[in-house]
Amino acid sequence: MLETFSLDGKVVLITGGGTGLGLAMVRALARAGANIALAGRRAAPIEGAAQEVVDLGREALVVTTDVTDSKQVDQLVTTTLDRFGHIDVLINNAGAVQENVRKPLWDITDDEWNLVMNVNLSGAFFCARAVSKPMSDRGKGKIINVASGFGMRAGRDIYMYCCSKGGMIQLTKVLSFNLARYGITANSIVPGFIPTTSTDSEIRSTLPRSGDFLPTGNLGTPEDLGPIAVFLASEASDYMTGEMIIADGGGLAAGITPTGHAPVVALEL
Amino acid sequence: MPTLPEYSLAGKVAVLYTAGGDEAPVLAQALAESGAAVFTIARRQELLEPVLAGLKQYPGEHGGIAADVGSGSSTELGKAMDALGASYDHVDILVNDVRSMFAQPLSEISIEEWDQIQSRNVRAAFVLCKELGGRMRERQYGRIVNLVSLLAERGMVNGSAFAASQAAVLSLTRSLAVELGTSNIRVNALGTGWMTVEDIPLEVQQEELLVRYTPLRRKGHPRDIGPLLVYLASESCDYTTGQAVYVDGGLNAHP
């Protein structure tokens, strides 16, 4: 049973794997046996992550890539195929959170809207499109999209992030439905709020500082996503497609009352 | 082969309730193979025997009893709890396989049949969550996984009574996740589509309309859901709660 979770010798391509949630997933994937191609806009974080992969005895490839540029994405996939021969798993993790700063709707510029939609949603589409043909030629492949609880619910003064992440959940369903016939599955990981360096420095006052608002009473950690990413990347999830795994401390299951509100109503006669 | 130790259930005590169907033996084996001791509560003796027979090949102290815990009889629940308590002093994991299937036209469903489906599927899940959830709360640790059909979310001709029972269990899952969250108890649902326990060749399966309708073009086997069951039952499933995760060959994304 537990061996079905192994990624021994599998090739995983992950975007934005140098920091935050992506880095935690990279560490878990490498521990489970995967060789990893890391793509990111900045070289330093993915080079650091690649070194950790190598230190765990796996192979790593670093390709600086801006996922909003489909030519760079196509080149990323070509470079990965040249190095490893095939791609078993794509993880669309690159995301722009820095635009997620509170701002009234009337102050949001076209450029701000386009940047987040391009990084989060178009970037994921470009990557999925680029791997789809080589994966279908092999008759197997797995695509994992990292969405967000904000793709399921609204956030105060958060427009582009909510819309782009909702789009990723829907992209997952459409990919799963259309690529099933080629042996390719697609699933989403939907994290709730998990503090990272990125959210700490950029989102500031818009997100909670503690887990008091959550049913579990605790905030998640990036490490919570490791076993989920490994499961979705492994053959343990072969019959699962078009789905999502939500890791949010119970937030989405609740939400009709403030946390801690516990009404008591006697049975009517 | 390298694997993450986080998924291991070594040292854990799991209670598996089966309301019906033929998947419980494979689910019990998935838990046992991952290291858990499995105690099975089966609604009928005929459901229990294949589970116990299948567990013989796995080390660990496994056991079980036939008890209709959803009947509302405190004797049935008490019998099950006594047998459980005779072998184990605590419970870490509760798995409710409450997918006892039933499909009839609305006009043909008797009140007795409606009550029976709600009892064996919903009331049994509630009774066990209440009893064992309380014990988990005392120890401030627990994992509860409720197995439901995709009919918890969708409608089907002739599916009214069964689908309502599945939606009820999903709803129970959400509220209990919220209510038990701060006690370090996680409650999730694992949803399934069209299943079979037989290993039928693909080309034979695909003669069936339901199989061709399923995006992955085959029925699910309980082996397909075993690994996710193990993850949801493990300590590493700590930030996921109150959710349904479907392993259904893509049916949920189907228009």
Side-chain angles (χ1 to χ4, degrees), chain A:
Chain A
M1 174 58 52
L2 296 177
E3 68 277 9
T4 64
F5 290 96
S6 178
L7 300 178
D8 197 17
K10 301 263 190 218
V11 178
V12 178
L13 167 58
I14 181 169
T15 63
T19 56
L21 307 183
L23 177 58
M25 287 190 276
V26 164
R27 288 171 175 153
L29 294 160
R31 283 170 54 223
N35 300 316
I36 303 180
L38 298 117
R41 204 164 35 89
R42 294 173 295 146
I46 52 176
E47 279 168 358
Q51 188 56 52
E52 291 194 38
V53 172
V54 170
D55 290 345
L56 283 163
R58 322 297 179 209
E59 292 179 52
L61 170 69
V62 165
V63 188
T64 53
T65 307
D66 178 351
V67 296
T68 67
D69 179 348
S70 68
K71 289 193 181 63
Q72 289 189 42
V73 169
D74 291 345
Q75 189 55 51
L76 161 69
V77 170
T78 303
T79 306
T80 306
L81 290 170
D82 286 347
R83 166 71 180 269
F84 293 111
H86 67 274
I87 297 168
D88 292 291
V89 181
L90 164 68
I91 303 182
N92 280 314
N93 167 71
V97 293
Q98 71 268 34
E99 309 311 314
N100 197 3
V101 176
R102 271 175 118 158
K103 204 173 195 184
L105 176 56
W106 45 85
D107 285 340
I108 296 170
T109 66
D110 291 6
D111 285 346
E112 285 171 340
W113 169 268
N114 288 331
L115 175 69
V116 181
M117 296 306 286
N118 287 345
V119 173
N120 292 2
L121 187 53
S122 302
F125 173 78
F126 294 152
C127 291
R129 183 176 65 181
V131 300
S132 60
K133 187 64 171 62
M135 282 182 176
S136 72
D137 287 345
R138 291 180 77 216
K140 63 188 286 194
K142 286 169 179 273
I143 297 171
I144 301 169
N145 293 322
V146 181
S148 164
F150 281 129
M152 308 278 290
R153 301 274 173 84
R156 186 167 175 179
D157 290 337
I158 302 175
Y159 290 90
M160 297 79 82
Y161 194 74
C162 290
C163 292
S164 62
K165 292 299 188 176
M168 287 188 81
I169 291 169
Q170 190 59 8
L171 175 67
T172 304
K173 292 179 188 169
V174 181
L175 289 171
S176 75
F177 189 63
N178 289 291
L179 299 180
R181 73 192 85 153
Y182 306 112
I184 301 168
T185 64
N187 293 290
S188 301
I189 299 173
V190 181
F193 181 56
I194 297 177
T196 63
T197 320
S198 168
T199 58
D200 278 351
S201 60
E202 303 290 348
I203 295 190
R204 293 183 287 272
S205 62
T206 63
L207 290 168
R209 298 290 91 186
S210 84
D212 289 347
F213 74 108
L214 288 175
T216 56
N218 291 302
L219 289 173
T221 65
E223 288 68 35
D224 284 317
L225 299 192
I228 299 175
V230 170
F231 166 69
L232 290 176
S234 73
E235 64 185 61
S237 61
D238 273 358
Y239 195 59
M240 180 169 170
T241 192
E243 288 304 329
M244 54 187 154
I245 297 185
I246 295 171
D248 70 337
L252 288 164
I256 196 164
T257 59
T259 301
H261 186 74
V264 175
V265 180
L267 188 69
E268 279 190 273
L269 291 178

